[in-house]
Amino acid sequence: MASTYARTPENEKATEPLASEYPKTVATPRHVMAEPREPPRYFAVVEVVLRFLLLASAVVAVVVMVTSKQSKTLVIPISPFQISRTAKFQHSPAFIYFVAALSFAGFYSIITFLFSLHALLKPGYHPKVVSHFVILDVLLLGIMAAATGSAGGVAYIGLKGNSHVQWAKICDLFDDFCKHIGASIAVSLFGSIVLALLIVLSFYSLSKRIPK
């Protein structure tokens, strides 16, 4: 005799598999890349100010060096004659290189200052400007440092002389010329420090865009 099986809600509930019997699946967390952060806006303001200072220091250093010409009338004690001597920056290859390097720095500063000012007025454009200029800033710093060091070495010999090789000092005669040279080198050193600060600021600004 066949047996009949009545399907009741209690029977269906008893035959359903328990939730614990299903295989457990673990959701794999996805690695979400963080969006690069924009550097603060005051970075662009500081960069514009520093690039203006770099431009001003390069122009002032070149102008002071070029206008350092001084003429002196020297009396020869042996004979009653007088000779005129002129000191100018063209007499030293180091000073010529200094003027050329600082002139290039001034021209470069004009371009970068205008781009930085445009980046300040146009938000979101600043990181692109920084990434393009940071390598050129490093190269320019090397050029300016070499020019300042070579001119400073020649200026020191003119100020102190060198008794070992019988190089006489000239700053006791051409005092105005030496003052111009010293002031020009000091301004160039200030410009080199400003450029170094610009490089540090650029690297720090780029590091802010690295996702963490």
Side-chain angles (χ1 to χ4, degrees), residues 95 98 147-157 185:
F95 294 157
F98 180 88
T148 304
S150 60
V154 175
Y156 181 81
I157 293 176
I185 294 173

Side-chain angles (χ1 to χ4, degrees), residues 38 41 118-127:
E38 291 290 337
R41 185 172 176 79
H118 177 68
L120 178 62
L121 300 177
K122 187 177 180 182
Y125 192 68
H126 179 256

Side-chain angles (χ1 to χ4, degrees), residues 8 26 64 66 68 71 75 87 114 118 137 139-140 148 183:
T8 60
V26 180
V64 174
V66 171
S68 60
S71 298
V75 179
L114 294 178
H118 177 68
D137 289 343
L139 294 177
L140 182 62
T148 304

Side-chain angles (χ1 to χ4, degrees), residues 163-177:
S163 58
H164 300 286
V165 293
Q166 302 301 317
W167 289 346
K169 56 184 179 180
I170 65 169
C171 287
D172 53 346
L173 298 175
F174 301 98
D175 51 348
D176 290 338
F177 172 77

Side-chain angles (χ1 to χ4, degrees), residues 48-69:
V48 170
V49 174
L50 290 178
R51 292 202 180 276
F52 177 77
L53 291 177
L54 177 61
L55 171 61
S57 61
V59 172
V60 171
V62 171
V63 171
V64 174
M65 176 67 76
V66 171
T67 58
S68 60
K69 182 179 179 181

Side-chain angles (χ1 to χ4, degrees), residues 12-29:
E12 291 182 358
K13 185 176 182 180
T15 57
E16 288 181 357
L18 299 177
S20 58
E21 296 178 1
Y22 285 103
K24 295 181 179 180
T25 57
V26 180
T28 305

Side-chain angles (χ1 to χ4, degrees), residues 123-141:
Y125 192 68
H126 179 256
K128 299 178 182 179
V129 172
V130 171
S131 61
H132 284 82
F133 285 156
V134 61
I135 299 177
L136 298 177
D137 289 343
V138 173
L139 294 177
L140 182 62
L141 178 60

Side-chain angles (χ1 to χ4, degrees), residues 56-212:
S57 61
V59 172
V60 171
V62 171
V63 171
V64 174
M65 176 67 76
V66 171
T67 58
S68 60
K69 182 179 179 181
Q70 183 183 7
S71 298
K72 274 277 189 176
T73 300
L74 306 178
V75 179
I76 301 177
I78 299 178
S79 57
F81 294 106
Q82 296 180 348
I83 57 175
S84 178
R85 288 289 182 265
T86 301
K88 50 186 179 180
F89 79 95
Q90 291 94 332
H91 293 163
S92 172
F95 294 157
I96 295 176
Y97 171 66
F98 180 88
V99 172
L102 270 294
S103 299
F104 174 76
F107 178 74
Y108 172 81
S109 300
I110 294 175
I111 298 176
T112 55
F113 172 73
L114 294 178
F115 272 97
S116 298
L117 187 61
H118 177 68
L120 178 62
L121 300 177
K122 187 177 180 182
Y125 192 68
H126 179 256
K128 299 178 182 179
V129 172
V130 171
S131 61
H132 284 82
F133 285 156
V134 61
I135 299 177
L136 298 177
D137 289 343
V138 173
L139 294 177
L140 182 62
L141 178 60
I143 295 174
M144 288 187 62
T148 304
S150 60
V154 175
Y156 181 81
I157 293 176
L159 179 65
K160 298 293 184 179
N162 193 324
S163 58
H164 300 286
V165 293
Q166 302 301 317
W167 289 346
K169 56 184 179 180
I170 65 169
C171 287
D172 53 346
L173 298 175
F174 301 98
D175 51 348
D176 290 338
F177 172 77
C178 290
K179 290 177 181 178
H180 276 73
I181 297 298
S184 180
I185 294 173
V187 175
S188 175
L189 182 60
F190 171 78
S192 299
I193 296 174
V194 170
L195 187 55
L197 293 177
L198 264 173
I199 294 172
V200 173
L201 179 67
S202 298
F203 277 114
Y204 185 74
S205 178
L206 290 176
S207 68
K208 286 291 186 180
R209 291 184 54 82
I210 299 177
K212 296 182 179 179

